[in-house]
Amino acid sequence: MYREKVDVLVIGAGPAGTVAASIVNKAGFNVKIVEKEKFPRFVIGESLLPRCMEALDEAGFIDAVKENRFQEKSGAKFVKNGKICDYFFADQFTPGWNWTWQVTRADFDKTLADTVEKMGVPVCYENTVTGIVFNGTNSVTTVEDINGNKSEIEARFIIDGSGYGKVIPRLFNMDRPSHLPPRKALFTHVVDLRRSMVDEPNRITIVVHKPEVWVWVIPFATGITSVGFVGAPEFFSQYQGSDEQVLRELMSLEPYLADRLKDVEFLFDPKVLQSWSTTTDKFYGDGFVLTGNVTEFLDPVFSSGVTLATVSSQVAAHLVIRTLNGETVDWEQEYTKTLMQGVDTFRSYILAWYDGTLESIFFAEKQNHEIKKMICSVLAGYVWDLNNPFVKDHAVALKKLARTIGLEVLANEEM
């Protein structure tokens, strides 16, 4: 059986894998990526956040992505019963990038993978990892190509950025269920001929359809728009017919979409994604680290997926470099604790979204500009900025603010 040696094996050629591979490669180490799928391939996670731009920039991907002329994104709009709450990243509390992109992920991910290949990192598509044997921090990984040919890769370290594939967690029984309730998404891309250019397409729109049911509307530069409904599985079960019939009925029942998307062309049969929230026992071990969705995927509402993927890979790559250089790394403090700061912050906001706390804040009659800037930073992905009270005290800050707003509303009603 053919065997090769590398310093670092990266599993997965998505944003997590390519960011890590680029940074480690720049440090002078021999890196190889294996990817189960053939690119380009469809995946959701189409609305990026400004924080991920820092990781893309360090990886050397910004110029290549710009060449695609993806739709620039400057903020997020929330809609409920005709009320609108806008967040513009230029107003955020945390210094940093104040714009990003809305992308078709097939093109975006292929761009990153092609760029890292040009940097000298081989990307082997349609190669499935079938086994890994660790000997201390060293490992031997068995891969099988589409024709059934097997080969082995010796590595000093493995970075698992395999996304939903979760290669190492599944091989070593590390998967664990998330504490978030199961939810379902029904979505497609449409030819958006009635798009208003007054307030779009420079940001994502999130529509409150019903309690705990929301809609994403993500316009692309091509005139195509991604539309998806998200809610509990039982919400969808009350509608009859094919997935397309259900999605068209839902769009017709949502006032914000009814006229705009009436009889629009679907570019593909609606897709279903559900019960996506999972986590793992640990995010690292002797000779490996998990990045991106391999660690934990939360919920699509605040577009956190690509940001957590790229930032976790950015952090992990530097720790791998230090490890390979013989330095002592405290993986628990420097990786797990760091990563969980971001994950836990996003989780608090996701829970607050579904229980109505954020709705009461977003659609309050009076908005405190300074507080809005702090929340805007979270929506921009700056969930590691502990100078922001709405990051540092994320578990309680939103509840306190919502209670204050509720008391003000009650006082005004009694006057």
Side-chain angles (χ1 to χ4, degrees):
M1 185 183 300
Y2 173 74
R3 177 180 287 197
E4 63 179 309
K5 293 184 179 181
V6 298
D7 292 314
V8 178
L9 172 64
V10 176
I11 304 174
T18 51
V19 164
S22 173
I23 293 173
V24 174
N25 176 67
K26 286 182 177 183
F29 293 99
N30 182 18
V31 184
K32 181 185 181 72
I33 299 176
V34 293
E35 165 60 49
K36 183 178 181 179
E37 303 293 333
K38 180 180 180 180
F39 279 26
R41 52 84 175 97
F42 180 87
V43 66
I44 62 168
E46 300 155 329
S47 187
L48 310 184
L49 300 181
R51 175 58 181 90
C52 76
M53 301 291 276
E54 296 181 17
L56 296 175
D57 192 19
E58 183 178 356
F61 293 153
I62 295 291
D63 288 343
V65 178
K66 281 184 177 178
E67 292 178 3
N68 285 268
R69 299 184 182 276
F70 291 122
Q71 175 61 54
E72 291 190 7
K73 173 186 174 183
S74 60
K77 178 172 71 173
F78 295 86
V79 178
K80 180 183 180 182
N81 298 331
K83 292 184 177 181
I84 293 176
C85 174
D86 264 318
Y87 282 90
F88 295 102
F89 298 141
D91 296 333
Q92 67 192 21
F93 170 83
T94 305
W97 288 74
N98 60 16
W99 66 277
T100 185
W101 287 291
Q102 293 168 174
V103 301
T104 46
R105 283 288 303 278
D107 301 311
F108 176 75
D109 289 14
K110 185 67 162 61
T111 297
L112 303 191
D114 288 348
T115 303
V116 83
E117 275 198 292
K118 292 176 183 177
M119 295 175 177
V121 177
V123 182
C124 295
Y125 296 102
E126 298 180 289
N127 272 250
T128 301
V129 173
T130 59
I132 302 174
V133 176
F134 286 99
N135 180 18
T137 58
N138 295 324
S139 61
V140 176
T141 298
T142 303
V143 298
E144 183 175 331
D145 68 18
I146 192 172
N147 297 314
N149 300 311
K150 293 186 177 182
S151 59
E152 294 179 335
I153 305 169
E154 290 186 33
R156 297 169 60 193
F157 213 96
I158 298 176
I159 299 175
D160 187 348
S162 57
Y164 297 119
K166 300 174 77 70
V167 170
I168 287 179
R170 288 176 178 170
L171 284 176
F172 295 93
N173 193 31
M174 295 163 55
D175 264 341
R176 295 295 178 266
S178 170
H179 296 300
L180 292 173
R183 294 190 175 91
K184 174 179 175 179
L186 181 65
F187 58 95
T188 190
H189 288 175
V190 305
V191 180
D192 196 2
L193 297 177
R194 303 183 189 91
R195 176 189 298 175
S196 168
M197 298 307 292
V198 175
D199 62 350
E200 288 190 24
N202 65 340
R203 61 203 188 282
I204 186 176
T205 298
I206 300 295
V207 183
V208 178
H209 179 64
K210 290 184 176 183
E212 298 191 51
V213 180
W214 59 276
V215 191
W216 78 64
V217 184
I218 307 173
F220 302 129
T222 56
I224 304 302
T225 293
S226 176
V227 181
F229 278 72
V230 180
E234 52 267 26
F235 164 75
F236 295 93
S237 64
Q238 63 187 303
Y239 298 94
Q240 303 297 315
S242 66
D243 288 339
E244 178 171 347
Q245 289 171 326
V246 171
L247 186 54
R248 287 191 183 277
E249 182 176 357
L250 288 173
M251 291 191 302
S252 72
L253 294 173
E254 172 47 54
Y256 183 80
L257 301 176
D259 291 336
R260 172 175 162 182
L261 299 184
K262 183 179 180 181
D263 299 324
V264 293
E265 177 187 354
F266 284 12
L267 294 186
F268 52 80
D269 290 337
K271 298 179 182 294
V272 174
L273 181 65
Q274 59 185 344
S275 300
W276 50 67
S277 298
T278 60
T279 188
T280 60
D281 273 345
K282 57 182 180 177
F283 297 162
Y284 66 91
D286 286 343
F288 74 88
V289 61
L290 311 180
T291 68
N293 290 348
V294 184
T295 56
E296 182 161 6
F297 180 72
L298 296 170
D299 191 275
V301 65
F302 297 124
S303 306
S304 61
V306 175
T307 294
L308 290 174
T310 54
V311 175
S312 64
S313 289
Q314 182 184 27
V315 173
H318 286 288
L319 297 179
V320 170
I321 291 166
R322 287 173 51 196
T323 299
L324 295 179
N325 282 330
E327 297 182 36
T328 299
V329 172
D330 186 337
W331 283 92
E332 188 64 27
Q333 287 295 316
E334 298 182 68
Y335 188 66
T336 299
K337 186 176 180 180
T338 297
L339 180 56
M340 289 308 298
Q341 167 61 48
V343 170
D344 288 341
T345 301
F346 273 127
R347 183 186 288 108
S348 289
Y349 279 70
I350 289 166
L351 292 172
W353 171 256
Y354 283 105
D355 70 15
T357 299
L358 276 181
E359 286 185 30
S360 67
I361 295 171
F362 288 175
F363 301 106
E365 292 296 328
K366 295 181 180 180
Q367 300 276 342
N368 182 300
H369 184 62
E370 292 305 311
I371 290 177
K372 190 171 182 180
K373 289 170 62 175
M374 295 174 186
I375 294 175
C376 184
S377 286
V378 174
L379 301 182
Y382 285 93
V383 290
W384 291 273
D385 179 13
L386 296 180
N387 291 317
N388 183 348
F390 282 80
V391 171
K392 184 178 181 180
D393 302 318
H394 58 85
V396 297
L398 293 174
K399 297 292 186 184
K400 287 182 178 179
L401 178 58
R403 282 198 296 269
T404 300
I405 291 171
L407 290 173
E408 290 175 351
V409 170
L410 183 61
N412 290 334
E413 289 175 350
E414 292 177 347
M415 290 179 63

